[in-house]
Amino acid sequence: MWDYTDKVKEHFLNPRNVGDIPDADAVGEVGSLACGDALKLFIKLDDNKERIVDAKFQTFGCGSAIASSSALTEMIKGKTLDEALGVTNQEIADFLGGLPEEKMHCSVMGQEALEVAIAKYRGGPLPVHHDHGHDQEQEGEIVCKCFGLTDGFLKKVIAQNRLHTAEQVTHFTKAGGACGGCIPKIKELIAEVLGEQKQDAPKKPEKLTNLRKMQLIQEVLENEIRPQLWTDGGDLELIDIAGTVVQIAFRKACAGCASSGYTAKFVEQKLRDLVSDDITVEEVAQ
């Protein structure tokens, strides 16, 4: 038995805003009956087409899906479309006093339906969530064939909810919950989003291709090292990467500074920590 809060039970037993809005301004539909969860969200805007004055839903799903949908419709009433887009799946769960992690995919489904409804209303590209073979305009590689979930959608959920394990991704999206064939790919996406590839690289340098190593070196220099030098009025330039040897030149306040040798060691240590433990940094005068 799942451990549901009183508020989840209350919204399940007495859901708000069930039904449809015949003259809705925006409709968002996600999931499918084949997946076991489906949600259709209806939104009505005020005369100025700025604020949401009514929201209703129809869902096929468990008690958590009903409660999450009920909570979402209550939360977005009175908000502008942009304000509504700011509602996260975690906020939906928080509104209900929390959801069991195994049921977090229900709150994610509500957030999805809202994004789809607003995107369709605005006439922009639809967010990449699912692909059940009928929407060829959506881009993104299918990761979970059982539930038609794309890599773009999974990466977004991983990032927003700071997920660290494939099991968590399954709880939040259902991905990997059927045949399990996509679990390795899900782990890759987690590593990509959380930057764990950088942490794992020193232990497994053989898995880092030359191209990826060069990309990581450039990313670390741009995102981790140069900003620290800027604070002291200095800078550095990447001159060349030859195998494991990284050539840099210091600029501005760092150029010709007595401490630049120490700075080169600092750069080397950072790259060894975040990219690969066999990197050597050489300072060149240019």
Side-chain angles (χ1 to χ4, degrees):
M1 181 66 186
W2 306 118
D3 185 18
Y4 290 122
T5 67
D6 290 340
K7 201 160 184 184
V8 171
K9 294 174 188 172
E10 210 257 314
H11 273 265
F12 164 55
L13 295 171
N14 301 292
R16 282 63 156 173
N17 313 307
V18 177
D20 65 349
I21 302 175
D23 59 343
D25 290 294
V27 180
E29 200 165 0
V30 295
S32 74
L33 295 180
C35 295
D37 279 317
L39 170 62
K40 195 169 187 180
L41 180 69
F42 302 84
I43 293 174
K44 182 70 178 170
L45 300 175
D46 62 11
D47 292 339
N48 295 325
K49 304 299 180 187
E50 291 177 357
R51 291 193 179 272
I52 298 169
V53 292
D54 196 13
K56 291 190 177 182
F57 74 94
Q58 296 173 333
T59 187
F60 175 84
C62 63
S64 297
I66 294 170
S68 295
S69 304
S70 174
L72 174 65
T73 53
E74 288 290 278
M75 293 171 73
I76 62 175
K77 284 184 185 179
K79 292 187 186 297
T80 65
L81 292 180
D82 286 335
E83 288 169 349
L85 280 175
V87 174
T88 66
N89 66 276
Q90 188 59 55
E91 287 172 341
I92 296 170
D94 290 345
F95 181 91
L96 293 166
L99 280 171
E101 188 172 84
E102 294 86 351
K103 292 294 182 180
M104 282 299 290
H105 61 267
C106 297
S107 65
V108 173
M109 189 169 65
Q111 185 187 19
E112 286 181 74
L114 179 62
E115 290 178 356
V116 169
I118 294 175
K120 283 170 69 175
Y121 171 73
R122 288 178 165 173
L126 292 179
V128 180
H129 295 145
H130 303 73
D131 187 335
H132 294 290
H134 58 264
D135 191 348
Q136 298 304 316
E137 294 182 9
Q138 292 192 16
E139 295 181 1
E141 176 191 344
I142 295 294
V143 173
C144 178
K145 293 185 174 67
C146 298
F147 295 117
L149 299 168
T150 63
D151 55 356
F153 167 65
L154 293 176
K155 284 166 69 174
K156 179 184 171 188
V157 174
I158 290 166
Q160 282 190 342
N161 295 280
R162 300 182 182 276
L163 306 183
H164 289 79
T165 67
E167 184 182 30
Q168 286 179 315
V169 175
T170 300
H171 293 331
F172 277 71
T173 66
K174 288 194 167 185
C179 75
C182 59
I183 296 289
K185 179 62 179 176
I186 290 171
K187 289 180 178 177
E188 285 180 27
L189 293 178
I190 293 171
E192 190 179 332
V193 172
L194 301 181
E196 289 179 0
Q197 285 176 336
K198 297 178 185 178
Q199 301 299 332
D200 291 343
K203 302 170 198 168
K204 304 174 185 176
E206 73 280 0
K207 287 199 171 182
L208 214 53
T209 65
N210 285 331
L211 178 61
R212 183 62 186 141
K213 184 180 285 187
M214 292 170 71
Q215 289 174 333
L216 280 175
I217 288 170
Q218 290 173 314
E219 287 172 15
V220 171
L221 289 176
E222 288 299 318
N223 302 328
E224 301 284 341
I225 296 171
R226 290 187 69 202
Q228 292 193 39
L229 298 181
W230 294 338
T231 60
D232 295 323
D235 204 352
L236 66 75
E237 181 181 349
L238 175 62
I239 303 301
D240 197 11
I241 301 173
T244 59
V245 178
V246 178
Q247 293 185 328
I248 60 171
F250 288 103
R251 300 284 183 241
K252 299 179 182 175
C254 292
C257 174
S259 67
S260 64
Y262 166 77
T263 309
K265 276 292 172 195
F266 157 74
V267 173
E268 184 178 278
Q269 192 56 53
K270 268 283 187 187
L271 290 173
R272 287 185 174 186
D273 288 344
L274 299 176
V275 182
S276 180
D277 57 3
D278 57 359
I279 287 177
T280 303
V281 171
E282 288 181 359
E283 182 182 352
V284 296
Q286 287 216 349

